Amino acid sequence: MRLHGMRFFNFVFPPRPKSAAIAKERLKIVLAHERAGNHAPDFLPRLQKELIDVVGRYVDIRDDMIRVSLGKSGETSLLEINIEIEAAKAKAKLGSAVPA
Amino acid sequence: MTKPGAARGREDLLAKVVAITSGKGGVGKTTTAAAFAAGLALRGHKTVVIDFDVGLRNLDLVMGCERRVVFDFINVINGDANLNQALIKDKRNDNLYIFPTSQTRDKDALKRDGVERVLEELKQQFDFIICDSPAGIEHGAVTALYFADSAIIVTNPEVSSVRDSDRIIGILSSRSRRAERNEPPVETSLLLTRYDPARVTKGEMLAVEDVQEILSVKLLGVIPESESVLRASNTGTPVAFDEDSPAGRAYLDAVARFLGEQREMRFVQPERRGFFRVLFGRA
């Protein structure tokens, strides 16, 4: 009878996972990610911006179509630059896009 | 009366610069800086507590000396006043001095070479120099931790505070002077504040072990959530002077540990509320 009552209680108020445990898991994941990125040099955002400027002279691209990241592949450091241009349109006149 | 400038035989002990830092605001840095400085002074150590939060001066209020501020940190850095004109002697303890900051809006007024010169001068007179860091990871916060020998990371058992503490620990290990000079690293320890053991037991709050595991730094102390902290700041009294309050005692324990003593962790288990306590509802 007691068990039955408990089951009913749990049905009406389903037990939630303890929020502190959720907090701990989320922190572990986000910090593992951030610690890995902590050694990223400060120039990455600037590099990204300049790449956007340069590529943008030739094709129409949005800021989020260029991604710059520094990673590791085994022993070598890897500067990865991804430029998405499939959706980008070439500028009509290439010559006029280059600043004088 | 000895002025703080009076010559002292200081060869026996090297002055220690201690940064109180956290990244996140509102976690209790200034409360901790005030309590820690008061606790060290109570233990007989000549201590000065410096406000590094240029433009948002508050240590003076928490220490209860806001009406005695004449000259400040920036005045001394710029040579407009000397150290002894700016230092405020605490009225409750002869070992304790407060060094207020400026209300200037010029954030770059805290020049690193000027700060270094002032700290060197303070080292001649004090055993401990407590640096109350501003929140954030900008110029003021980095300057406050740059010269540190020790750092106390003030953290609340709450996700954003833990994350920001992790950032600050990273900055300490990469951008402090000790790191730049390849000297032994800044001795870093964790002070968990606003801890509520009852909520931890219910699984509603990160436990001290969880925070320590995530940040993996030495635990200096746990300060329980306590009414006495607000009461202390209301009246301008460092909470460590309130030896009857749980928070005050927890700070004194942390100070003892900082000085190398062994103290059992108190206030990490939920308090059993006796009949009368329940009846009168006092925490």
Side-chain angles (χ1 to χ4, degrees), chain A residues 73-85:
Chain A
S73 172
E75 288 292 288
T76 18
S77 290
L78 215 63
L79 177 65
E80 207 175 324
I81 300 173
N82 278 295
I83 307 177
E84 180 190 330
I85 51 164

Side-chain angles (χ1 to χ4, degrees), chain B residues 35-56:
Chain B
F36 228 76
L40 287 166
L42 283 172
R43 297 293 305 266
H45 297 286
K46 202 161 177 213
T47 306
V48 60
V49 54
I50 314 179
D51 192 345
F52 270 78
D53 202 349
V54 175
L56 293 168

Side-chain angles (χ1 to χ4, degrees), chain B residues 17-36:
Chain B
V17 178
V18 185
I20 311 291
T21 185
S22 72
K24 190 174 181 301
V27 297
K29 277 184 300 297
T30 301
T31 299
T32 297
F36 228 76

